[in-house]
Amino acid sequence: MKLICTITFLAIAVLSSCNDNKFDNKKKPLEMSETRKEKSAVSAEAGIDHIGINVPDIDSATVFLSRAFGAKVIYESHSKNEAPIDLSGVESTLNVASGTKIFAVRMIKIGNGPNIELFEVHAEGQRNAIKSSDIGLQHFAIYSDSISVSIERFVEAGGKILSKPNPMLFPEEKGDHNYFVYGLTPWGTSVEFLTYPDKMPYENQTKLRRWKGGKTDK
């Protein structure tokens, strides 16, 4: 199967206007309240944890990434040898179409940096990969030292949270304090916030490690 990989770049435009559609340099900039200043100064987000990509065939995609970039499979969250995961009932939580099924999931490592979570997902009416001129990715994930702080900032900025924080979905990633939650940007891109301070079970199976965000003690 011919695999077409499309990397999407997101362009964010910040638009400013006033009542007469002209900039008034004499106007004083809006001042933040002391509370908002304090919130702005305290950031829980450490960086991008992983990028999620849907592919038509996960085996072909893995071979391509391995050949093209020296990618390695850190672990397989769900195998094609297992029954597909039916997402009925959690479509709104994960922002997927009705009838979506997950056939395979792999966490991929390329060099030293954010990971790629590779999905083979099938759904009725599934569309081909978008072009680089289009807006959106399957999702990108932000590691947070405090999901509650991240959610508050995200919502205040205009984002929408789809559910309360949930325990990690896959057994290889579970831990008492390991959680994730999905949200939507104003333009519709899915964003995942996650935190996993507890050791993940996959670490007992391999010496490879997924890149992990998070602040380090000085």
Side-chain angles (χ1 to χ4, degrees):
M1 180 183 293
K2 184 177 179 182
L3 174 66
I4 302 176
C5 290
T6 304
I7 300 176
T8 305
F9 298 93
L10 300 178
I12 302 176
V14 180
L15 305 178
S16 299
S17 62
C18 56
N19 293 334
D20 58 359
N21 293 324
K22 296 179 181 178
F23 292 107
D24 185 355
N25 294 327
K26 295 181 180 180
K27 290 185 178 180
K28 294 182 179 180
L30 294 175
E31 294 185 1
M32 299 172 63
S33 66
E34 290 301 319
T35 302
R36 186 169 292 275
K37 285 181 180 179
E38 291 174 3
K39 285 184 179 179
S40 178
V42 179
S43 176
E45 299 74 38
I48 293 177
D49 181 84
H50 68 268
I51 302 294
I53 302 177
N54 286 340
V55 294
D57 181 80
I58 201 166
D59 293 323
S60 298
T62 302
V63 170
F64 170 80
L65 292 173
S66 176
R67 290 177 176 174
F69 307 114
K72 297 179 180 179
V73 177
I74 306 175
Y75 59 88
E76 189 168 58
S77 304
H78 188 75
S79 171
K80 294 176 76 170
N81 296 327
E82 303 174 77
I85 300 175
D86 189 342
L87 298 180
S88 298
V90 294
E91 293 92 342
S92 61
T93 299
L94 299 176
N95 193 36
V96 297
S98 178
T100 297
K101 292 184 179 180
I102 297 177
F103 284 74
V105 186
R106 292 172 184 168
M107 190 63 72
I108 305 292
K109 181 181 183 69
I110 297 179
N112 183 26
N115 311 282
I116 293 178
E117 191 170 18
L118 214 57
F119 290 83
E120 182 175 332
V121 174
H122 297 289
E124 186 176 350
Q126 189 175 45
R127 291 166 290 187
N128 292 328
I130 58 179
K131 294 184 178 181
S132 296
S133 55
D134 295 325
I135 296 174
L137 293 169
Q138 198 255 24
H139 78 273
F140 66 90
I142 299 294
Y143 187 91
S144 175
D145 292 314
S146 174
I147 279 187
S148 60
V149 172
S150 296
I151 287 175
E152 184 178 2
R153 287 165 59 89
F154 186 72
V155 171
E156 285 183 353
K160 177 183 178 182
I161 294 297
L162 301 181
S163 71
K164 64 181 182 180
N166 302 282
M168 290 297 201
L169 182 63
F170 300 112
E172 292 82 2
E173 302 174 344
K174 288 187 178 295
D176 290 342
H177 303 94
N178 297 350
Y179 287 88
F180 79 97
V181 64
Y182 271 73
L184 292 176
T185 67
W187 58 91
T189 295
S190 297
V191 181
E192 179 185 3
F193 295 97
L194 73 167
T195 187
Y196 46 93
D198 291 348
K199 181 179 179 180
M200 289 185 170
Y202 89 84
E203 296 177 34
N204 297 322
Q205 305 168 12
T206 176
K207 293 182 179 179
L208 292 174
R209 294 292 181 266
R210 58 186 286 175
W211 181 86
K212 180 180 179 181
K215 299 180 176 65
T216 56
D217 295 330
K218 295 182 179 179

